[in-house]
Amino acid sequence: MRYISTRGEAPALGFEDVLLTGLATDGGLYVPESLPHFSLEEIRSWRGLPYAELAYKVMYPFVEDAIPADDFRKMLDETYSVFSHQAVAPLVQLDTNEWVMELFRGPTLAFKDFALQLLGRLLDYVLEKRNQHVVIMGATSGDTGSAAIEGCRRCEHVDIFILHPHQRVSEVQRRQMTTVQGDNIHNIAVKGNFDDCQRMVKESFGNQSFLGGKTQLAAVNSINWARIMAQIVYYFQASLALGGPDRSMAFSVPTGNFGDIFAGYLAKKMGLPISQLVIATNRNDILHRFMSGNKYEQHQLEHTLSPSMDIMVSSNFERLLFDLHGRDGAAVKALLENAAKGPVSIEDYRWKHARKLFDSDAVDDKTTCETIRDVYEQNEYLLDPHTAIGVRAARNCRRDSAVPMITLGTAHPAKFPDAIAESGLSVKPQLPAHMADLFEREERYTVLDNNVSEVQGFIAKHWKNA
């Protein structure tokens, strides 16, 4: 399988190169030249498979040119054996035909573990094969950083530099990153917001001269195709657990960077019956404003109780725009260049085509807290603020009560005690046993100004072979 850029000017690459490259040389994002498609009969035959085996069925077409089947199976078995629940992604019922899929049973208590635990193993495999070293540079709004560090910290051929917005992630999220010890792990707190961090990463991938030609950058953010690929699997898992593919499903997805919900879009294109995808956002609602009114316009970023969604530039949205424009890279490039200058819209028929599948909602902090409180009082089930936004958006946007609605539970509530307290509940979410001493561990991180040259200088000085 070959991979092409959403901007149409970069060379097509195989899986190994896409894994290591991140952004395409033309500034675009890589997507498969074509998608595998599974018949209903084939999907039906996967009922009852362990999660790792289902992951193999869904993902192997994307990597088969690069990784032998037995090696990939071994990676998947190792990846999902560290999750704390035998089902890996268990479903919890909230009401009639209403479910939460718990995607926080991995080692860092967030859905990012599904992809990043695998990504670390993929990188180790490919870099060992090539005898190559890379520098991972990533930006996090809270959860990607800890999952990336946990997934890649044992990689012998990798140095990791994770940027997070200083004082704009929860304390648990920060400590999960900054208490991991290792000479190859570097946490940078940038005096800015997530979009500033993400911009620095994109600029650095576009011009890697600060590394002196001695190594290259690799991406762990959801711009990396391997992240999206791994997230497709749990849509199939949820559907199969609830009677799919013989009936359609609806999903509500808390999202800021559009990667997690784009994986659901791909699952549908690959043959899984999905009737509705709900984009659930907070006050940083650029995706909701586009999907509800066909206007893509950046506003001032706001700090909320759901910090992992405090994002205004949704990188993965470009992948959807590429499809909506008939895979015309030049059109996507022109649209995004105009979007950097002011508000843009797409042709009405393209927008209406997207609306056949997608709905959206924006949920403020007050309503988020109300939802946390209401669901706990009704079910004694505690939601984190991101999942609460997903549940509220699902209830507000649901098209058909006969279709199962599944909200993706993206993080453990213990990561966001301030939001739980603000909801008025006296219950205090507890960290699981393997993190019980998190607040006693020594932290290591460096605070830097919101300046790309300063950040690049730090990386150039501190990577292993500098």
Side-chain angles (χ1 to χ4, degrees):
M1 180 178 288
R2 305 290 285 173
Y3 294 83
I4 58 175
S5 169
T6 52
R7 302 197 187 180
E9 296 175 357
L13 299 178
F15 178 77
E16 281 191 17
D17 289 319
V18 165
L19 177 72
L20 298 178
T21 300
L23 274 180
T25 53
D26 60 3
L29 280 67
Y30 278 107
V31 292
E33 210 163 33
S34 61
L35 286 172
H37 190 274
F38 307 116
S39 67
L40 296 182
E41 182 180 8
E42 188 172 6
I43 297 170
R44 196 178 296 119
S45 73
W46 297 343
R47 285 179 181 163
L49 288 181
Y51 192 91
E53 182 60 20
L54 176 64
Y56 172 81
K57 298 285 190 184
V58 173
M59 282 194 277
Y60 193 60
F62 295 111
V63 306
E64 61 184 343
D65 296 338
I67 304 174
D70 288 347
D71 291 348
F72 192 55
R73 273 198 164 98
K74 182 181 178 185
M75 280 185 225
L76 294 170
D77 288 341
E78 291 174 353
T79 294
Y80 298 112
S81 68
V82 301
F83 281 59
S84 65
H85 196 289
Q86 282 290 96
V88 182
L91 287 158
V92 173
Q93 188 167 10
L94 297 184
D95 204 339
T96 304
N97 265 350
E98 184 183 17
W99 307 78
V100 169
M101 190 174 206
E102 294 186 339
L103 301 179
F104 49 77
R105 298 301 192 118
T108 72
L109 313 184
F111 79 97
K112 310 290 177 75
D113 284 323
F114 279 83
L116 286 164
Q117 293 300 310
L118 176 60
L119 182 62
R121 290 169 171 84
L122 288 167
L123 285 170
D124 231 12
Y125 181 90
V126 170
L127 293 171
E128 179 69 29
K129 176 179 168 183
R130 294 184 170 200
N131 192 27
Q132 184 179 348
H133 182 279
V134 297
V135 170
I136 288 175
M137 183 182 183
T140 185
S141 55
D143 290 329
T144 291
S146 56
I149 289 168
E150 181 63 31
C152 301
R153 65 190 175 98
R154 296 180 186 86
C155 297
E156 295 183 10
H157 301 272
V158 164
D159 283 287
I160 311 169
F161 294 83
I162 299 295
L163 284 59
H164 72 268
H166 186 43
Q167 297 179 334
R168 291 196 174 192
V169 300
S170 78
E171 187 175 6
V172 171
Q173 287 177 312
R174 188 191 73 240
R175 286 178 175 273
Q176 280 186 288
M177 294 185 282
T178 60
T179 58
V180 180
Q181 303 299 310
D183 292 339
N184 67 332
I185 300 167
H186 304 273
N187 284 284
I188 301 172
V190 175
K191 294 178 182 176
N193 58 42
F194 171 76
D195 285 343
D196 295 321
C197 297
Q198 185 166 248
R199 173 181 46 79
M200 290 185 192
V201 171
K202 287 184 176 180
E203 284 186 28
S204 299
F205 271 86
N207 183 357
Q208 301 186 25
S209 59
F210 68 97
L211 295 171
K214 299 176 184 177
T215 186
Q216 72 173 72
L217 293 180
V220 292
N221 284 52
S222 54
I223 60 173
N224 191 313
W225 164 254
R227 285 274 309 271
I228 304 296
M229 174 184 80
Q231 291 168 320
I232 296 169
V233 179
Y234 43 70
Y235 288 90
F236 282 85
Q237 169 83 345
S239 174
L240 288 164
L242 296 176
D246 296 320
R247 61 173 176 166
S248 190
M249 302 288 153
F251 292 88
S252 178
V253 186
T255 189
N257 225 354
F258 204 75
D260 208 12
I261 197 163
F262 184 71
Y265 167 79
L266 293 178
K268 178 178 176 63
K269 291 192 71 175
M270 291 164 67
L272 188 68
I274 295 175
S275 60
Q276 184 185 17
L277 290 171
V278 178
I279 300 166
T281 69
N282 59 22
R283 290 201 310 274
N284 299 298
D285 60 350
I286 187 169
L287 293 171
H288 169 58
R289 286 183 281 110
F290 172 83
M291 202 56 68
S292 60
N294 192 14
K295 189 176 184 182
Y296 190 81
E297 180 183 18
Q298 296 179 28
H299 289 175
Q300 183 70 32
L301 195 72
E302 295 187 48
H303 186 44
T304 73
L305 291 173
S306 45
S308 297
M309 302 194 317
D310 288 349
I311 297 170
M312 193 58 71
V313 181
S314 300
S315 292
N316 280 289
F317 192 54
E318 180 169 337
R319 286 181 159 121
L320 178 65
L321 290 172
F322 185 57
D323 270 14
L324 292 177
H325 286 82
R327 313 204 108 197
D328 181 345
V332 172
K333 181 181 179 181
L335 179 72
L336 293 172
E337 286 175 349
N338 288 331
K341 303 169 189 172
V344 295
S345 299
I346 65 174
E347 292 92 339
D348 195 55
Y349 75 93
R350 300 188 195 278
W351 176 72
K352 286 179 178 175
H353 179 70
R355 286 303 312 270
K356 290 178 181 178
L357 177 63
F358 290 99
D359 286 293
S360 65
D361 198 15
V363 181
D364 61 22
D365 281 351
K366 179 175 180 290
T367 310
T368 300
C369 290
E370 288 173 359
T371 307
I372 293 171
R373 185 174 64 251
D374 291 348
V375 169
Y376 188 78
E377 289 174 350
Q378 292 159 4
N379 300 299
E380 292 191 355
Y381 186 74
L382 196 58
L383 301 172
D384 91 285
H386 306 79
T387 309
I389 287 171
V391 169
R392 179 54 66 101
R395 292 174 175 179
N396 289 347
C397 297
R398 192 169 189 175
R399 297 177 184 176
D400 187 347
S401 61
V403 174
M405 172 62 80
I406 303 147
T407 295
L408 300 191
T410 52
H412 194 291
K415 300 184 85 163
F416 305 98
D418 292 346
I420 306 303
E422 197 157 328
S423 71
L425 296 175
S426 57
V427 60
K428 292 185 178 180
Q430 299 298 309
L431 288 166
H434 75 278
M435 283 189 194
D437 65 343
L438 182 65
F439 288 87
E440 299 163 23
R441 300 175 191 172
E442 179 188 355
E443 286 192 89
R444 291 192 314 165
Y445 65 98
T446 303
V447 180
L448 296 179
D449 287 335
N450 186 6
N451 182 292
V452 68
S453 297
E454 186 173 341
V455 170
Q456 289 176 346
F458 180 89
I459 294 173
K461 182 179 178 181
H462 288 92
W463 74 276
K464 193 181 306 177
N465 297 320

